[in-house]
Amino acid sequence: MIEMLKRLHEIEDRDMRRDPINALTKSIIPHQEVGTSKDLEEVIVQVLAGQAALIIEGCEQAVLVDTREYPIRSPKEPDLERVVRGPRDGFVETIVFNTALIRRHVRDRSLIFEYLQVGQRSKTDICLSYIDSVVDPRLVKRIKDKIEQINIDNLSMGEKTLEEFIFGKTMNPFPQVRYTERGDTASVHLMEGHVLVIVDGSPSVMICPATFWHHLQHAEEYRQKPIVGAFLRWVRFVAVFSGLFLLPLWYLFATHPELLPPNFSFIGVNEEGSIPLYIQFLVAEIGVEILRMAAIHTPSALATALGLIAALMIGDIAIKVGLFTSEVILYLSIAVLGNYAMPSYELSLANRVIRLVFLSATALFGVKGFVLSIFGWIILLLTTKTLNTPYLWPFIPFNAKAFLQTIIRSPMPLIKSRPSVLNTTDNSSQSKDS
């Protein structure tokens, strides 16, 4: 800014008289981000956002110079998406640096960053990122139209508020968008034909659209050999579905032992205790959620003390005094571990709610409640769509090749096409001579 003011004093009068705007923007102001605007409202908004505006007497245009210096934290590895092998950088709260990180991974000339603003008062910067030669133009238009229709003072919760305006369906617990804080993960989805939505002030990038299976994938699977990646994926599948079905299924067998074969009679409860099993599970589930929230708000120096309280006082002593049976603690612990093995934090929260629904239906109606609740869960997933994309694709509607790549981590040389559900302009992910 100081250098720019010095150059203004060195301007020759004939240059300013002939074409002042062209003289300023082309040869005088030594800056990369220089633009002009005739709209006074836009000039005011940009000045409030930190830019400098030069107003010249007698000219209808104002010169906008981006002289902002953004506060930024170190782009360290995200806590929720750690990998053993791979880059250690992640997105930060500044939109300019996030777009630069994506550009570092994707150097395609057709990579587009389209900027919008949301919020009548906050004027929050939004960026749509996509590869123009790959993405379905209708998908971009659909997302852009939904964002432009938002009429609100400010995005109070950042990208989460934006998600609720774009997707709606507030009563559906399952996430219709996938969040990532990793530049490599976002770039891979760009190559597949997805659209990224970047919100200034948030380190999380929205990947649109996202199916149920997208939330079960992790970058670590692609940083190992294909057979190891497939093994890790199947272990994750087992963990996720055990977190969903283990508790209600065990409760069903414990309360209806006649359903068990003689060789599996050990699955039941040795000592039922004075509190019904359903109440024990309900209290234990609430206790786990309280511990999770306490861990979020507990300083690091007190984390060890919190762990001791949870392990000794709540776990061991609760069993001794008869509040819980040992089987309840065992199976609840397995279910909680299954939830923590999920890469998507939003899907893990949704699965906890669904697990309580399964457990409550089983406790109220027995076998019929267990079967009907699972049937209702499947119907909910079948009827869920995210930007006209079926939530269970490629399982329903079934696509054999894509489903095989979903359940098994295929070697990269064998993946020669992009997901057909995205209707990409360029369906081939490898050149024909490869």
Side-chain angles (χ1 to χ4, degrees):
M1 187 67 183
I2 296 176
E3 180 66 23
M4 182 179 66
L5 293 176
K6 290 180 179 178
R7 293 289 298 272
L8 288 175
H9 289 292
E10 300 173 0
I11 301 175
E12 296 185 8
D13 291 340
R14 64 177 183 276
D15 295 330
M16 293 298 294
R17 286 195 300 267
R18 185 169 56 249
D19 190 351
I21 298 296
N22 184 70
L24 286 172
T25 57
K26 300 298 183 181
S27 59
I28 297 174
I29 301 178
H31 208 277
Q32 295 178 348
E33 298 291 337
V34 179
T36 60
S37 177
K38 292 183 178 180
D39 189 352
L40 180 60
E41 184 64 28
E42 180 185 358
V43 173
I44 294 174
V45 170
Q46 295 302 330
V47 170
L48 292 175
Q51 294 195 35
L54 297 180
I55 310 296
I56 300 99
E57 184 178 1
C59 294
E60 297 180 353
Q61 290 180 313
V63 179
L64 295 173
V65 185
D66 193 350
T67 57
R68 293 173 289 189
E69 291 186 5
Y70 299 92
I72 182 175
R73 64 177 174 87
S74 174
K76 63 180 181 180
E77 184 178 17
D79 292 332
L80 295 178
E81 299 177 89
R82 293 183 179 273
V83 294
V84 178
R85 302 287 184 188
R88 296 290 186 266
D89 54 356
F91 293 122
V92 294
E93 288 76 13
T94 307
I95 191 172
V96 174
F97 290 94
N98 291 341
T99 55
L101 182 58
I102 294 173
R103 173 63 72 180
R104 181 182 180 185
H105 288 279
V106 182
R107 302 182 181 181
D108 193 289
R109 67 181 66 185
S110 62
L111 176 61
I112 302 297
F113 292 105
E114 188 171 353
Y115 288 89
L116 305 169
Q117 283 188 337
V118 175
Q120 295 178 354
R121 297 184 183 275
S122 65
K123 305 293 183 182
T124 305
D125 290 324
I126 309 292
C127 179
L128 296 184
S129 179
Y130 52 90
I131 299 180
D132 189 48
S133 59
V134 172
V135 73
D136 181 7
R138 294 170 297 179
L139 175 62
V140 178
K141 185 178 185 304
R142 189 176 297 117
I143 297 175
K144 186 178 178 180
D145 289 345
K146 287 181 176 292
I147 293 177
E148 291 178 343
Q149 292 172 5
I150 297 175
N151 186 14
I152 193 175
D153 281 348
N154 70 309
L155 297 181
S156 56
M157 292 293 107
E159 76 285 354
K160 196 62 183 177
T161 303
L162 187 67
E163 176 196 345
E164 293 181 2
F165 273 98
I166 294 176
F167 296 94
K169 300 180 181 179
T170 54
M171 298 304 295
N172 190 336
F174 290 101
Q176 275 86 47
V177 64
R178 180 184 178 184
Y179 291 98
T180 184
E181 296 183 30
R182 296 186 59 89
D184 55 346
T185 301
S187 302
V188 168
H189 284 84
L190 273 179
M191 294 291 188
E192 290 182 349
H194 294 263
V195 177
L196 303 183
V197 182
I198 311 169
V199 181
D200 191 28
S202 171
S204 299
V205 169
M206 299 166 57
I207 301 174
C208 306
T211 65
F212 178 81
W213 307 103
H214 279 118
H215 295 279
L216 302 183
Q217 297 178 359
H218 192 266
E220 182 66 25
E221 300 166 3
Y222 294 92
R223 297 290 177 179
Q224 306 297 334
K225 299 288 285 185
I227 186 65
V228 178
F231 171 74
L232 294 177
R233 182 171 295 182
W234 271 97
V235 169
R236 184 171 290 110
F237 287 164
V238 171
V240 169
F241 289 105
S242 66
L244 265 177
F245 301 112
L246 183 63
L247 285 189
L249 188 62
W250 180 84
Y251 179 85
L252 181 65
F253 289 148
T255 54
H256 297 78
E258 67 276 6
L259 299 175
L260 283 172
N263 294 335
F264 292 91
S265 58
F266 65 90
I267 291 179
V269 182
N270 295 327
E271 298 180 4
E272 293 188 5
S274 56
I275 301 178
L277 283 177
Y278 174 70
I279 301 300
Q280 292 186 37
F281 275 125
L282 190 61
V283 172
E285 286 275 12
I286 295 175
V288 169
E289 289 303 306
I290 292 174
L291 284 174
R292 181 184 65 83
M293 290 185 286
I296 294 175
H297 302 295
T298 301
S300 301
L302 302 178
T304 303
L306 178 64
L308 291 174
I309 293 174
L312 298 178
M313 298 181 65
I314 298 179
D316 186 51
I317 298 178
I319 295 176
K320 290 181 179 179
V321 300
L323 180 60
F324 300 129
T325 63
S326 56
E327 291 86 358
V328 168
I329 298 296
L330 171 64
Y331 290 103
L332 180 65
S333 301
I334 296 175
V336 171
L337 286 176
N339 274 334
Y340 288 154
M342 200 175 307
S344 172
Y345 180 69
E346 289 75 22
L347 185 59
S348 68
L349 292 177
N351 282 351
R352 291 174 196 174
V353 175
I354 298 299
R355 183 174 67 207
L356 282 176
V357 173
F358 289 166
L359 186 62
S360 300
T362 305
L364 291 174
F365 305 107
V367 178
K368 292 182 179 179
F370 179 74
V371 174
L372 289 177
S373 60
I374 293 179
F375 182 74
W377 171 70
I378 295 175
I379 294 298
L380 176 62
L381 293 179
L382 285 175
T383 56
T384 300
K385 286 189 175 182
T386 167
L387 297 173
N388 289 342
T389 301
Y391 201 55
L392 285 183
W393 186 90
F395 181 58
I396 299 175
F398 187 71
N399 184 312
K401 182 179 179 181
F403 185 68
L404 184 63
Q405 294 177 355
T406 298
I407 63 175
I408 299 176
R409 197 291 221 190
S410 302
M412 296 307 295
L414 298 182
I415 304 177
K416 297 185 178 181
S417 60
R418 296 183 172 90
S420 59
V421 73
L422 295 176
N423 299 315
T424 53
T425 306
D426 182 6
N427 189 44
S428 177
S429 61
Q430 298 186 29
S431 59
K432 296 181 180 180
D433 56 351
S434 61

